[in-house]
Amino acid sequence: MRKVIYFDQAATTKPYPEVVEVVTDCLVENWGNPSSSYEFGKDARKLIEESRITLANCIGASPEEIFFTSGSTEGINWFTRELQNDPVYTTEIEHPAVIKSIANPQYVSLDKNTVIKTTEIPKYSKVMAAHVNNEIGTILPIKGIKDRNVLLFLDATQSFGHIPINVKTEEIDLMVVSGHKIHGIKSSGFLYASKEYLEVIKNYPMQVGGGQENSFRAGTENVAGIVALAKAAEISLKDRKEKNRKIEKIRNYLYGEITNKIPCAHLNGTANWSKRWCGNLNFRFDGYKGEELLAWFDVNHIAVSTGSACSSHSGNPSHVLKAIGLTDDQANSSIRFSFDETNTLNEAKEVYRVLVEGLEALRK
Ligand code: PLP
């Protein structure tokens, strides 16, 4: 395998060795259909239900409130389709899965920290937004939003496993999680729907067909993905405080070096760390092209991103950076560094060294 320093953890993550182990076990030993009534099928069913309990425990939910999906996009699309033309309050910095799927979006402004202005959200409305923004790391003020008595659909794709969430104490009504962002595997995830909301939505299944997932999401389950998700969630949440301290050290080092020593560098988004996920730094480098910097990192075996992985081939400037006030040129000169506890300070030092060399080499 190609050896890379991976600073693109917001795009996807490498499955933990323990995840690979449980997936292999599913594919080699436990490959039965969970709906079959013989023991071999029941073994697969047992794995699913144990995983459901594990995941419910991770967020303070009941197992009946967890529905397995193929990832966050699916859960988001299901909710927005079900709402049809209802106004949904959101922001212009959301992931395309949110922005493209809401039929009647109502955009709420952001404050100087790129945080949603909660006072602009009408009481008793419906809100859908990311807990942690995938491009600039902004953390959603859940309490301030819930104080508006709204229905909150939380896109926890970038936060689950990193920031502990309790859906009951934080009064989250619906939430999506994606396995591949937490060292699980791709095309796995779950939707949490609170019991109260289940009553409303039981007539709007995500997929119809067989009776899987309580007839809510038909189709033979992705047993390996589900088991991987539960294992990845357990591992991610373990010793989280300590892991976040390690990530903060990497952030502090990179931020300090880049802002103190590179005059053309400007942080996109807030430097108020209490409002930003510590595993995200997004810089613009005035006078440079992000694509060229990315290619420089790439030939030096470092993976970073110019925006979200999904939009990085579009050639268009990031809608998130534009929404926070950058010009096209500024947005196109930006690089996102995203890292987690599996990265090291030595790797960050190499990232910085290669960046400095790249800025020198690419200077016009
Ligand atoms: N929401 C956010 C904030 C994301 O970062 C992503 C993926 O990058 C998604 C939704 C879509 O997630 P998935 O790949 O699981 O469909």
Side-chain angles (χ1 to χ4, degrees), residues 10-11 70-74 76 95 97-98 130 132-134 155 157-158 177-181 188 308-310:
S70 63
S72 295
T73 302
E74 181 183 323
I76 291 167
H95 188 273
V98 169
V132 165
N133 182 273
N134 53 307
D155 173 0
T157 313
Q158 296 287 345
V177 161
S178 181
H180 75 107
K181 306 290 188 183
S188 67
S308 74
C310 327

Side-chain angles (χ1 to χ4, degrees), residues 38-236:
Y38 39 80
E39 288 306 311
F40 187 43
K42 286 184 193 163
D43 288 347
R45 163 71 45 216
K46 190 161 171 266
L47 287 177
I48 293 181
E49 296 318 321
E50 284 171 357
S51 302
R52 202 186 306 278
I53 293 169
T54 301
L55 290 162
N57 287 340
C58 286
I59 59 167
S62 304
E64 318 81 81
E65 296 172 314
I66 305 290
F67 298 90
F68 292 114
T69 64
S70 63
S72 295
T73 302
E74 181 183 323
I76 291 167
N77 273 255
W78 161 80
F79 173 72
T80 49
R81 196 176 54 223
E82 180 260 314
L83 286 179
Q84 300 183 1
N85 268 324
D86 287 6
V88 179
Y89 290 80
T90 187
T91 73
E92 286 179 308
I93 62 170
E94 298 308 316
H95 188 273
V98 169
I99 295 213
K100 288 189 186 172
S101 66
I102 300 177
N104 184 4
Q106 304 292 317
Y107 292 114
V108 181
S109 331
L110 304 172
D111 66 15
K112 65 177 186 343
N113 285 311
T114 67
V115 174
I116 191 167
K117 280 191 184 155
T118 51
T119 48
E120 277 188 15
I121 302 171
K123 288 204 160 175
Y124 312 110
S125 58
K126 297 184 173 97
V127 176
M128 184 181 222
H131 190 192
V132 165
N133 182 273
N134 53 307
E135 290 199 37
I136 52 172
T138 312
I139 299 172
L140 197 74
I142 294 177
K143 174 150 186 344
I145 291 177
K146 283 305 298 188
D147 283 348
R148 311 295 293 165
N149 279 320
V150 298
L151 179 133
L152 176 61
F153 185 117
L154 190 70
D155 173 0
T157 313
Q158 296 287 345
S159 64
F160 178 73
H162 303 146
I163 301 177
I165 301 170
N166 184 305
V167 288
K168 296 298 171 203
T169 55
E170 296 177 71
E171 299 177 70
I172 293 156
D173 302 284
L174 298 128
M175 184 171 95
V176 281
V177 161
S178 181
H180 75 107
K181 306 290 188 183
I182 56 160
H183 303 273
I185 64 173
K186 290 165 189 64
S187 282
S188 67
F190 73 83
L191 166 83
Y192 155 78
S194 67
K195 268 194 199 104
E196 298 71 34
Y197 200 67
L198 274 181
E199 280 307 303
V200 183
I201 52 160
K202 62 183 176 202
N203 297 325
Y204 302 92
M206 265 188 272
Q207 290 179 183
V208 291
Q212 292 92 346
E213 295 299 282
N214 213 1
S215 295
F216 201 77
R217 201 262 187 183
T220 305
E221 298 90 338
N222 171 10
V223 186
I226 291 169
V227 173
L229 178 60
K231 179 56 78 183
E234 256 180 342
I235 300 174
S236 291

Side-chain angles (χ1 to χ4, degrees), residues 197-272:
Y197 200 67
L198 274 181
E199 280 307 303
V200 183
I201 52 160
K202 62 183 176 202
N203 297 325
Y204 302 92
M206 265 188 272
Q207 290 179 183
V208 291
Q212 292 92 346
E213 295 299 282
N214 213 1
S215 295
F216 201 77
R217 201 262 187 183
T220 305
E221 298 90 338
N222 171 10
V223 186
I226 291 169
V227 173
L229 178 60
K231 179 56 78 183
E234 256 180 342
I235 300 174
S236 291
L237 284 166
K238 193 161 177 282
D239 304 324
R240 197 63 239 176
K241 274 197 182 141
E242 213 173 289
K243 287 172 178 164
N244 287 357
R245 274 197 290 273
K246 182 180 177 194
I247 301 171
E248 277 167 12
K249 278 193 187 142
I250 296 174
R251 189 261 329 269
N252 293 346
Y253 166 79
L254 258 190
Y255 176 75
E257 292 298 288
I258 294 177
T259 43
N260 291 330
K261 299 187 183 160
I262 302 178
C264 69
H266 304 273
L267 184 72
N268 295 323
T270 185
N272 179 337

Side-chain angles (χ1 to χ4, degrees), residues 9-23:
Q9 307 280 1
T12 195
T13 56
K14 181 179 175 181
Y16 290 126
E18 295 88 334
V19 164
V20 175
E21 227 171 85
V22 294
V23 167

